Amino acid sequence: MKKIIVRILIVAVVLIVAGFIVVGMFLDSIIKKGVETAGPAITKTEVRLDGVSLSVFSGKGTVKGLFVGNPAGYKTASAIQVGEATVRVKPGSLMSNKIVVESVSINAPDITIEGGMKDNNLTKILENVQSFSGSATTNTSQTGAQKPAQKIQVNDLLITGGKVNVSLGLLGGKSVTVPLPEIHLTDLGKNSDGITPAELAQTVMKSIIDGALSSATKAVSNIGGVATDAAKSLGEGATGGVEKVTKGIGSLFKK
């Protein structure tokens, strides 16, 4: 009798473990599909992921190949690219109305800013995110839906080693690359019921834009030097070209 009970317990444990493995496999695809579905709705740009891996046991996960495209009208290939990011989630919160993310670490993101200091591809994406966030709130209040929307709490978010590609259309498609300052955000949605994915995206985008524009501003003098060298390379009669390019860069950063 004891042997039978032991065997039943072993089978039960195996089934439970197998169940968690299956859930984990489906969870990865669900997260990937969710990002690629919700992302474009929020940013109004192409959003895709190469892959997601999340352990339901430890709550540790990896996101690979995040790509955020540009809004219509911009020529550069992308706005944001991230090779890999690590995430640690509180496992018990995955099935609740508020997912608790213990930490997010994003290493070496590749950011591209195209346009002026006040009007560019990143600010346009931010406008789209803000518009989505506002419309989502309005729709919820109008429908009076009783089902609570799933929200997020992020305790620690760190972005390091990033670079910003400042696109200069007047330099024949060339760009100047500057470092992105470290971005460290904490306690997002901690003292409330949480924040929506759109609100989280809005907060992160604002920080990225501030960092990108800060770096671009500091690099203006260097950009001017590059422009002058580029114009000089056109030949001895390029004096007018130097002035044109320099003025163009000045107007670019005054927009």
Side-chain angles (χ1 to χ4, degrees):
M1 186 65 178
K2 289 182 178 179
K3 290 182 179 180
I4 294 175
I5 294 174
V6 170
R7 288 178 181 177
I8 291 174
L9 289 174
I10 292 173
V11 171
V13 170
V14 170
L15 289 175
I16 291 172
V17 171
F20 270 107
I21 292 173
V22 171
V23 169
M25 291 172 63
F26 279 104
L27 189 61
D28 293 348
S29 61
I30 289 171
I31 293 172
K32 184 177 185 296
K33 185 176 180 180
V35 170
E36 293 180 336
T37 301
I42 294 173
T43 64
K44 302 294 188 296
T45 68
E46 179 185 5
V47 177
R48 63 175 187 262
L49 281 175
D50 287 344
V52 178
S53 176
L54 178 64
S55 169
V56 294
F57 296 103
S58 65
K60 294 181 180 179
T62 303
V63 176
K64 293 185 178 181
L66 172 64
F67 174 95
V68 179
N70 271 321
Y74 291 93
K75 298 179 180 179
T76 47
S78 66
I80 302 171
Q81 292 191 63
V82 178
E84 184 172 298
T86 57
V87 182
R88 188 162 57 88
V89 181
K90 189 175 181 180
S93 70
L94 288 172
M95 300 303 175
S96 67
N97 292 327
K98 179 181 177 180
I99 297 176
V100 178
V101 180
E102 300 287 2
S103 65
V104 179
S105 179
I106 301 172
N107 184 43
D110 196 325
I111 314 294
T112 298
I113 180 169
E114 177 186 349
M117 293 295 279
K118 295 183 179 180
D119 184 13
N120 52 68
N121 58 330
L122 298 183
T123 56
K124 180 59 179 175
I125 292 175
L126 179 59
E127 288 175 8
N128 294 339
V129 172
Q130 291 171 331
S131 176
F132 178 89
S133 182
S135 63
T137 301
T138 302
N139 292 337
T140 300
S141 61
Q142 288 178 346
T143 58
Q146 296 181 352
K147 184 179 179 181
Q150 193 170 55
K151 295 188 177 182
I152 305 171
Q153 172 182 316
V154 180
N155 295 335
D156 191 275
L157 187 150
L158 182 63
I159 302 176
T160 59
K163 64 179 181 179
V164 183
N165 305 303
V166 184
S167 180
L168 300 173
L170 293 175
L171 294 179
K174 293 182 180 180
S175 65
V176 175
T177 301
V178 294
L180 178 72
E182 180 180 290
I183 296 172
H184 192 195
L185 305 174
T186 60
D187 298 336
L188 303 177
K190 186 173 183 179
N191 298 321
S192 65
D193 293 332
I195 55 178
T196 65
E199 289 169 336
L200 176 62
Q202 182 175 325
T203 299
V204 175
M205 278 300 300
K206 282 183 178 179
S207 298
I208 289 175
I209 291 172
D210 288 345
L213 294 182
S214 174
S215 292
T217 300
K218 293 177 182 178
V220 167
S221 59
N222 293 332
I223 292 173
V226 171
T228 303
D229 291 341
K232 285 181 179 178
S233 67
L234 296 176
E236 294 180 358
T239 304
V242 173
E243 294 177 354
K244 183 178 179 180
V245 174
T246 303
K247 288 181 180 179
I249 291 173
S251 62
L252 175 71
F253 287 99
K254 289 179 181 179
K255 290 183 180 180

